[in-house]
Amino acid sequence: LLTMWSNRETFILIPQHFLTNQAVTRVFTEILLQFLVTRLKDLSTGSRQETTTMLNLFKIAFSAVSTIPENETVLRPHIRSVVGSCLRHAMQEKRPMHYYMLLKTLFRAVSSGGKFELLMKEFISLLKSLLDSLTKLLSASQEEETKELLVELCLTVPSRLNFLFPHIPILMKPLVQALNSSTPELVHLGLKKLEIWVDALQPAYLDPHLQAVKDDMMPALYKQLQSGNNTFAVAAIRILGKLGGRHR
C-alpha cells in the first residue's frame, strides 16, 4: 500500500479525503496511525519516495486533529510511541533526519493554537528524557542543518511554561545557538523564547541560568542589534532593556 501511494503522488488525496470526512475520520485516523507507527523504522531504510510519503501521511494524520478536534483522543495513545521510536531510531540510524522532521511535524501539530490539553499532558512525563535526548543528539551532531533542526526541536517541545521551567537550564545552550543562527526563523524563535522567559520567570530563578551563558548570550543579542533586521534589533533592544531594568 505504501509503495503504491509512493509511486502515485495523487493517491495521497485518498487518505486526505477520509481524514477530512466527518463520518469516517475517527476510524480512518486510527487505522492510518497504527499502520504508520508500526513502520517507523522504514523512515531510515525505505526509498526516498517511501520516506517522503510516510512523512506526508503522518502530517495529514496530525493535521486531522487540528481540523477535527475529536481526533485528539485518537492521537493521544500514539504520542509516546512516536516520540520514543523517533529518539531511539535517531540515536541508532545513520539517517536520522527524517525522525527529526517527524518530531517537528508532531510538535507543531500538538502546539497549534494551544488547545490540545490531552496531547500536551502526554508530554509532561516525557519532558526530561525528551530534552535530555535532544540535547545529547545536538551535542553529537556535526552537520549545520541537523544542528539547527535539533535546536528548533529543543525550543518547541510542546509544554506549558509551568511544566517547562524546571528544565530551563538544559535549554540555555540551544537558546544561544538559536540567537546565533544564520536562519531568520531560528533567530526569531530564540528571541521570542528568551523574552517570554524574561517576562514570565522570577529573576531569582532565571538570572543564575542566564549568567551561566552570559558570555555567549550577550554577544548574540548585540549581534542582532547590528544584523540589519529591524524586527530582530527591536526585540534585542527590548530584551536588553528588560534585563537591565531587573538589576537597577
Side-chain angles (χ1 to χ4, degrees), residues 112-132:
S112 62
K115 57 186 178 182
F116 299 117
E117 291 296 332
L118 294 177
L119 299 182
M120 297 284 277
K121 285 179 181 178
E122 286 298 308
F123 278 90
I124 295 173
S125 61
L126 296 174
L127 274 177
K128 187 179 187 308
S129 60
L130 176 54
L131 290 171
D132 284 344

Side-chain angles (χ1 to χ4, degrees), residues 38-228:
T38 58
R39 298 182 66 98
L40 272 169
K41 185 173 176 57
D42 292 353
L43 283 177
S44 61
T45 59
S47 67
R48 177 176 294 184
Q49 282 183 319
E50 288 174 340
T51 55
T52 299
T53 300
M54 278 192 68
L55 289 173
N56 285 336
L57 288 170
F58 266 115
K59 185 175 182 178
I60 63 175
F62 295 157
S63 68
V65 177
S66 299
T67 54
I68 303 178
E70 70 182 59
N71 283 329
E72 181 181 10
T73 56
V74 179
L75 176 57
R76 183 182 184 182
H78 298 285
I79 293 290
R80 289 174 178 272
S81 296
V82 172
V83 172
S85 294
C86 282
L87 292 175
R88 184 172 63 255
H89 287 303
M91 291 178 177
Q92 297 172 348
E93 306 293 345
K94 294 180 179 179
R95 296 165 53 191
M97 199 66 171
H98 291 127
Y99 295 105
Y100 301 150
M101 292 169 67
L102 177 55
L103 286 175
K104 177 179 177 177
T105 302
L106 176 63
F107 289 3
R108 286 189 173 184
V110 174
S111 301
S112 62
K115 57 186 178 182
F116 299 117
E117 291 296 332
L118 294 177
L119 299 182
M120 297 284 277
K121 285 179 181 178
E122 286 298 308
F123 278 90
I124 295 173
S125 61
L126 296 174
L127 274 177
K128 187 179 187 308
S129 60
L130 176 54
L131 290 171
D132 284 344
S133 297
L134 289 174
T135 51
K136 186 181 296 184
L137 288 164
L138 176 58
S139 297
S141 63
Q142 301 295 322
E143 297 179 3
E144 195 61 30
E145 183 183 5
T146 304
K147 286 182 180 180
E148 295 208 331
L149 184 48
L150 283 165
V151 166
E152 180 180 348
L153 290 175
C154 288
L155 296 178
T156 56
V157 170
S159 175
R160 304 294 183 201
L161 186 58
N162 57 318
F163 294 111
L164 186 64
F165 88 86
H167 309 288
I168 293 293
I170 201 173
L171 292 173
M172 283 298 166
K173 287 187 177 180
L175 175 69
V176 172
Q177 287 176 271
L179 294 174
N180 277 315
S181 174
S182 58
T183 305
E185 292 79 11
L186 208 51
V187 175
H188 173 73
L189 175 63
L191 290 167
K192 180 180 177 182
K193 288 292 179 181
L194 178 56
E195 187 163 17
I196 289 172
W197 296 349
V198 170
D199 288 341
L201 299 176
Q202 291 295 321
Y205 174 77
L206 182 62
D207 287 1
H209 302 309
L210 293 176
Q211 192 66 30
V213 295
K214 179 181 177 181
D215 291 344
D216 295 317
M217 187 184 72
M218 297 307 287
L221 287 172
Y222 286 120
K223 173 184 173 182
Q224 296 309 321
L225 291 178
Q226 303 169 348
S227 66

Side-chain angles (χ1 to χ4, degrees), residues 24-36:
V24 298
T25 181
R26 185 180 179 86
V27 173
F28 190 78
T29 300
E30 177 61 40
I31 292 171
L32 182 58
L33 283 171
Q34 286 184 352
F35 170 75
L36 292 171

